[in-house]
Amino acid sequence: MKNPKPWVVVSDPGTDQEDILADFRTATQARQFMRAHPDTDLMKRLDDGSLTTEF
């Protein structure tokens, strides 16, 4: 099953406190959200549910 909202914005990327803030349908929507939330990173949720920064 394909993920309908594969773009994920996380707070505190790369730390033990990393947390998912929001999921989006498009990378553009996610980047707009990130502009208002500093110290975040964009990740992609693969169809198996894992998150990656390689996309």
Side-chain angles (χ1 to χ4, degrees):
M1 183 171 124
K2 190 168 174 133
N3 188 342
K5 292 186 176 180
W7 298 102
V8 178
V9 175
V10 297
S11 63
D12 301 312
T15 70
D16 290 339
Q17 290 76 34
E18 183 175 279
D19 193 21
I20 295 173
L21 293 178
D23 298 0
F24 298 91
R25 292 182 142 221
T26 68
T28 301
Q29 291 171 328
R31 290 187 193 284
Q32 288 172 343
F33 179 86
M34 290 172 64
R35 281 194 274 281
H37 298 87
D39 299 322
T40 58
D41 198 10
L42 181 62
M43 299 184 85
K44 187 171 185 181
R45 183 175 286 121
L46 303 177
D47 290 339
D48 68 3
S50 62
L51 294 175
T52 184
T53 57
E54 298 179 15
F55 42 85

